Amino acid sequence: MTHFNPIEIIGNSAYSLCMIYQIFIYTWQGNELYLQNETLAGAIYMGSWWKLHSRFRRTLHIVMLRTQKPLILSKFLISLTVPTFMSIIQMSYSMFTLLRKKNS
């Protein structure tokens, strides 16, 4: 930038924040799904499952076994979790500084 243009800076900042927020929404929801999946087996066990019909108990047992494997959403081979969001932000900033130093 050779001169200070506040409209351009505000526009670029708003665009960047919207893109960061869009990535954050997906990764936050994926992380919430992962955390809820972790607590599901404990919630089932703490319920009154022994009072239920044997077929339903078997179904709950299958659900409990399934929750032992972490449920992680992925899109294009990227897991949607908060650590992934942080690594995207760190890499974006690194690329930005690298390109900025090259232009100087």
Side-chain angles (χ1 to χ4, degrees), residues 52-70:
L52 301 172
H53 192 267
S54 64
R55 186 171 178 197
F56 194 69
R57 282 194 307 240
R58 221 172 325 149
T59 305
L60 285 178
H61 184 70
I62 291 170
V63 170
M64 288 175 70
L65 289 175
R66 172 57 187 99
T67 60
Q68 298 304 312
K69 182 182 175 191

Side-chain angles (χ1 to χ4, degrees), residues 58-86:
R58 221 172 325 149
T59 305
L60 285 178
H61 184 70
I62 291 170
V63 170
M64 288 175 70
L65 289 175
R66 172 57 187 99
T67 60
Q68 298 304 312
K69 182 182 175 191
L71 180 63
I72 299 176
L73 288 179
S74 60
K75 182 81 167 169
F76 305 114
L77 303 174
I78 298 173
S79 62
L80 297 176
T81 57
V82 172
T84 303
F85 173 74
M86 293 306 295

Side-chain angles (χ1 to χ4, degrees), residues 1 3-15:
M1 287 179 28
H3 62 283
F4 180 72
N5 188 353
I7 301 296
E8 186 177 331
I9 292 174
I10 292 171
N12 287 337
S13 299
Y15 176 77

Side-chain angles (χ1 to χ4, degrees), residues 3-66:
H3 62 283
F4 180 72
N5 188 353
I7 301 296
E8 186 177 331
I9 292 174
I10 292 171
N12 287 337
S13 299
Y15 176 77
S16 297
L17 287 175
C18 288
M19 293 300 108
I20 289 171
Y21 182 70
Q22 186 175 11
I23 295 170
F24 179 72
I25 290 295
Y26 288 114
T27 54
W28 181 264
Q29 294 302 323
N31 194 58
E32 284 297 312
L33 182 64
Y34 171 75
L35 293 175
Q36 291 296 323
N37 185 58
E38 276 188 340
T39 60
L40 186 61
I44 291 172
Y45 186 75
M46 296 302 279
S48 301
W49 56 270
W50 63 89
K51 297 178 184 177
L52 301 172
H53 192 267
S54 64
R55 186 171 178 197
F56 194 69
R57 282 194 307 240
R58 221 172 325 149
T59 305
L60 285 178
H61 184 70
I62 291 170
V63 170
M64 288 175 70
L65 289 175
R66 172 57 187 99

